[in-house]
Amino acid sequence: MRKLLIIDDEPIIQEGLKHVIPWSEYGYEICDVGTNGRDGLHKIRLHQPDIVMLDIRMPGLSGIDIVSQLKKENFKTKFIILTAYSSFSYAKKLMGLGIEHYLLKPVVETELIEVLEKIDQERIEEQRLQEQLASYNQLHEERTLRALLEGKREHFSDSLLKKLIGKELQFVRIYGDLQQRTDQWLMERVAENDQHIKWIRKDSFDHLLFIQKDSSFAKRFITKLRKRVRENSGQGIVLMVADPVDHPEKLSTAYRQIKELMHLHFCFSEREILHYQQFTTVPEVVKKPDEEDSRKKLYHYIEFGDQQNIKKIVADLEDYYRASRFSKDRIKVEIFEWCVSLLDLIQKNYPDVDPIDKDIWANEINHQPHLQAIMQWIVKELLFISESIHGEYPTKGHIVDKVKEYIHFYYSEDINLKYVADLFHYNSAYLGKLFKKETGEYFNVYLHQVRINKAKELLVLDKYKVNEVSRLVGYSNADYFYKNFKQYEGMSPKEYQMNQRKEINS
C-alpha cells in the first residue's frame, strides 16, 4: 500500500478527507495527519509518504512554502494542493513548483479519483523514463569502460571518469562457465555493490572492475565467487587478476596484462587464480633440453620400458615451456615437431609396431586445452608404444646384448642386476649366470669396467675434476670410485689424469 499524508488546519476537513473515498481500494493508506504547516513538514520528513494532500493556506507555513522546501530537499513525493480559492496567481505559483494537481474545497469524490488516476499514470510514465534512462546510462557506462580498456579516449565519459579518479581500480577476468545460478548470484551482488563493482562483458568473457573501498575488497569478493561456483556446479573457474591501477586511463595497461595472463594460463592451468604480479619478475632461465640427446635417451627409455625416465624426459620438456612464456601456438608447433622426430626414430627401428598416425598426434596436441594436458597425453601414448615394443620384442637381439646395451646407456645411473632383470622379465639369478657365460664377466664387474673406461675418457679432458668424473660415471661415493679405478688401472684417477695430460702436452 502507498502512504498518504493529510495536512490541513481545519479538523472537519481532516475528517472529511479521511472518508471522502475508500482509500484502500485505490491502493493507499493514511499514515498520519498534519494539523498545520510546521507539523505537516515534520511528518512528511518522518513518514516520507507517496502523496501529500495539503491546504495551500495554513498558519506558520503555507502549502507553497512546504512544497518549496521539500523540492530543495529532493523529495519525490506527489502533492495534491487543496484550496478554497480559484486563483490564477496560486495556480501560477504551483505550476512554477512543478505541481499540477490541486482541488477546490470541498473536495468532490469524482474529481479526487480523477487526480489519483492521473498521478498513477504519471508514476508509470516516470518509471518507464527512469528505466530508459538507467538503461541508457548503463550502456553509456559500459561503452566508456570498454573504451578505457582499449585506450580510446574519444569515447570516454567525463562523469564516469570523475567517479573513478582517485580510486584504486583492479580488473579481473572470469575464465570458465559461471552456470545460471552463479550468474544470478553475481548479478545481485554487483547490483548491491554498484559503487564498487562494475560488470563488463568483453571479448566473450565476463570481467569485474573493482573500485576498491580497501585493498582486500576484491580478494574477499573473488574468494566468495570461487566458493559459489564450486557449490553450484562442482567445477572451478580461473580468475585472472591484473595489477591495481591508480587512474582510470591506466586500465588499458590492466587489460593488456589480462591478455598476457590468458597466454600464461596455457602453461599454468593448475592455478585457479593468476595474479599478474606473480609473473612480473624475469623468469628463471630453464635451458631447453638438447633435442638430439633427449630424443636418443627417450627412444632408449621407450625401448627398455623405463616408465620413470620416460615421464622425467617429458616433465623436463614441460618445465622448459612453462618457463619460456612462448605463445601457445608456438609451444604446440614445437612440441609436435619434437614428437615427429621421435616417432620417426621409433618406426625406423621397429617397423612392425602398429603404425603411428602423425595426423592423429597433430590433432590431439592442437586440441588439448593446456600444456599439462598435452604432456599427459604424450606420456600416455609413449607408454603405450613402449608396452607394444617391450611386449612384442622383449629380447630383440640376444638378451645379453640387450643388457650390455642397457649398461652402456645407463652406466651413470644407479642400476643393478635385479633392476635390469625385472626390466627384461628375467629371473635375476638366471640372467646373471647367462651374462657370465656369454661375456666371461659378472654383471657388476662388467658395469665397473664400462664406468672406469668412461671415466678415463673424461679424465683426459681439462674441464672435469676427479670428483666430478666420479659422479658423472655413476659413483656416488668418491672413495669407492678411487678404489675401483686403482684396482682396474693400477693407479689412482689423479695419477692417470696427470700422466695422460703430460703425454698430450709433450
Side-chain angles (χ1 to χ4, degrees):
M1 300 286 281
R2 296 193 182 105
K3 291 187 290 184
L4 170 74
L5 180 67
I6 296 171
I7 305 173
D8 198 294
D9 60 335
E10 298 181 47
I12 191 169
I13 298 295
Q14 296 171 10
E15 288 301 314
L17 290 174
K18 287 181 183 179
H19 305 289
V20 66
I21 63 171
W23 289 104
S24 61
E25 292 182 12
Y26 292 91
Y28 291 94
E29 62 176 357
I30 298 173
C31 61
D32 210 337
V33 175
T35 57
N36 57 53
R38 295 193 182 281
D39 180 52
L41 181 60
H42 167 71
K43 288 178 177 177
I44 290 172
R45 289 170 174 160
L46 177 65
H47 295 290
Q48 299 190 15
D50 297 286
I51 292 183
V52 175
M53 295 183 67
L54 74 163
D55 191 2
I56 200 166
R57 299 185 67 179
M58 292 180 292
L61 291 175
S62 71
I64 291 177
D65 293 332
I66 292 173
V67 173
S68 298
Q69 181 60 38
L70 292 175
K71 288 293 182 182
K72 293 177 183 178
E73 297 177 20
N74 292 317
F75 267 72
K76 303 302 180 184
T77 300
K78 295 287 185 179
F79 295 96
I80 301 175
I81 301 296
L82 305 175
T83 179
Y85 307 93
S86 178
S87 169
F88 176 74
S89 62
Y90 279 131
K92 187 175 180 181
K93 287 183 180 180
L94 292 170
M95 286 188 290
L97 293 171
I99 306 300
E100 299 178 359
H101 308 295
Y102 66 99
L103 296 170
L104 293 175
K105 296 180 180 179
V107 174
V108 178
E109 178 182 349
T110 56
E111 293 178 353
L112 175 58
I113 293 172
E114 183 179 341
V115 168
L116 291 176
E117 289 175 346
K118 286 181 180 179
I119 290 175
D120 284 343
Q121 284 301 118
E122 286 175 6
R123 290 187 187 279
I124 293 172
E125 182 63 19
E126 287 171 0
Q127 179 65 28
R128 186 182 67 82
L129 290 174
Q130 287 176 0
E131 290 174 355
Q132 288 179 344
L133 181 60
S135 178
Y136 171 79
N137 289 337
Q138 183 178 356
L139 289 171
H140 191 52
E141 182 178 272
E142 288 178 3
R143 186 185 183 201
T144 296
L145 291 172
R146 291 193 185 97
L148 284 168
L149 295 173
E150 297 168 0
K152 297 179 179 177
R153 297 181 58 86
E154 64 273 18
H155 297 306
F156 290 179
S157 163
D158 291 337
S159 60
L160 181 60
L161 281 176
K162 289 177 182 177
K163 293 179 183 178
L164 300 180
I165 288 174
K167 306 287 178 58
E168 182 182 85
L169 308 172
Q170 191 151 38
F171 189 58
V172 177
R173 172 170 287 183
I174 302 170
Y175 183 73
D177 188 3
L178 287 177
Q179 300 291 328
Q180 184 175 353
R181 289 171 62 190
T182 306
D183 193 67
Q184 181 63 33
W185 177 88
L186 182 58
M187 189 181 301
E188 292 171 359
R189 299 294 84 73
V190 170
E192 290 171 3
N193 296 274
D194 64 334
Q195 297 301 309
H196 302 288
I197 312 174
K198 302 297 180 184
W199 190 345
I200 308 168
R201 183 73 179 173
K202 182 170 175 55
D203 302 333
S204 300
F205 292 102
D206 291 308
H207 304 85
L208 299 174
L209 175 62
F210 290 93
I211 307 165
Q212 305 240 35
K213 293 184 288 189
D214 58 70
S215 58
S216 62
F217 179 63
K219 182 179 179 180
R220 293 196 304 271
F221 191 92
I222 62 178
T223 298
K224 291 179 182 177
L225 175 59
R226 287 174 56 216
K227 181 180 179 182
R228 190 77 182 190
V229 171
R230 287 209 173 274
E231 289 175 352
N232 288 342
S233 66
Q235 298 177 348
I237 56 172
V238 177
L239 295 163
M240 300 178 181
V241 185
D243 290 341
V245 296
D246 58 5
H247 194 281
E249 292 191 29
K250 293 182 181 179
L251 281 172
S252 58
T253 300
Y255 181 53
R256 175 183 55 77
Q257 292 178 357
I258 292 296
K259 287 185 173 181
E260 290 182 35
L261 288 175
M262 286 294 289
H263 286 298
L264 291 168
H265 172 254
F266 179 74
C267 293
F268 294 89
S269 60
E270 76 283 1
R271 300 189 186 182
E272 293 187 341
I273 300 181
L274 288 175
H275 289 274
Y276 186 81
Q277 62 187 10
Q278 296 172 336
F279 300 95
T280 53
T281 56
V282 177
E284 180 183 352
V285 176
V286 176
K287 186 178 179 182
K288 184 177 183 178
D290 180 270
E291 290 190 16
E292 184 65 30
D293 181 62
S294 64
R295 182 165 56 247
K296 179 181 175 183
K297 286 182 177 179
L298 188 53
Y299 166 75
H300 284 293
Y301 295 148
I302 291 169
E303 187 178 36
F304 295 134
D306 191 337
Q307 296 187 16
Q308 181 176 345
N309 276 304
I310 290 173
K311 294 176 182 177
K312 183 179 183 304
I313 288 284
V314 176
D316 289 344
L317 191 64
E318 179 179 333
D319 289 341
Y320 166 72
Y321 281 114
R322 281 171 70 98
S324 71
R325 301 191 185 176
F326 296 150
S327 70
K328 65 179 180 181
D329 291 335
R330 175 176 173 178
I331 291 173
K332 287 180 178 181
V333 168
E334 289 191 6
I335 289 176
F336 176 65
E337 290 176 348
W338 179 82
C339 289
V340 166
S341 61
L342 174 65
L343 298 176
D344 286 342
L345 183 61
I346 293 171
Q347 291 205 301
K348 177 182 176 182
N349 289 281
Y350 290 91
D352 295 332
V353 172
D354 290 341
I356 300 168
D357 191 329
K358 292 172 188 172
D359 289 338
I360 292 178
W361 278 65
N363 187 62
E364 287 290 342
I365 289 173
N366 188 53
H367 285 87
Q368 295 302 325
H370 46 72
L371 177 64
Q372 289 75 15
I374 289 176
M375 294 312 194
Q376 289 168 5
W377 186 84
I378 289 174
V379 166
K380 177 176 70 71
E381 291 300 307
L382 293 182
L383 292 178
F384 176 77
I385 293 171
S386 178
E387 289 175 5
S388 299
I389 292 173
H390 206 54
E392 189 171 350
Y393 306 102
T395 57
K396 183 186 178 185
H398 196 283
I399 182 59
V400 173
D401 291 334
K402 298 300 293 181
V403 172
K404 288 165 63 179
E405 182 182 358
Y406 188 86
I407 291 172
H408 281 273
F409 187 74
Y410 283 100
Y411 66 86
S412 63
E413 299 185 16
D414 183 19
I415 60 174
N416 55 56
L417 177 61
K418 184 178 186 312
Y419 176 81
V420 174
D422 290 342
L423 189 65
F424 290 105
H425 307 295
Y426 272 78
N427 176 274
S428 59
Y430 173 77
L431 183 59
K433 290 179 182 178
L434 184 61
F435 191 88
K436 176 67 167 63
K437 179 180 178 182
E438 293 288 336
T439 65
E441 301 286 357
Y442 290 107
F443 177 90
N444 286 340
V445 172
Y446 188 88
L447 175 60
H448 285 308
Q449 289 176 344
V450 170
R451 285 173 169 171
I452 297 303
N453 287 333
K454 188 61 181 178
K456 288 163 64 177
E457 294 177 16
L458 298 177
L459 286 168
V460 176
L461 304 177
D462 291 336
K463 61 180 179 179
Y464 295 117
K465 296 179 180 179
V466 172
N467 285 345
E468 291 177 303
V469 171
S470 170
R471 178 177 50 80
L472 289 171
V473 298
Y475 289 99
S476 58
N477 186 311
D479 292 336
Y480 189 47
F481 169 62
Y482 271 74
K483 177 182 176 182
N484 276 281
F485 193 94
K486 192 165 187 177
Q487 178 181 342
Y488 285 98
E489 298 300 322
M491 65 183 75
S492 70
K494 190 66 177 176
E495 290 172 333
Y496 178 85
Q497 186 180 56
M498 293 175 65
N499 289 341
Q500 291 298 312
R501 289 181 179 177
K502 283 180 183 179
E503 289 183 13
I504 292 173
N505 296 327
S506 61

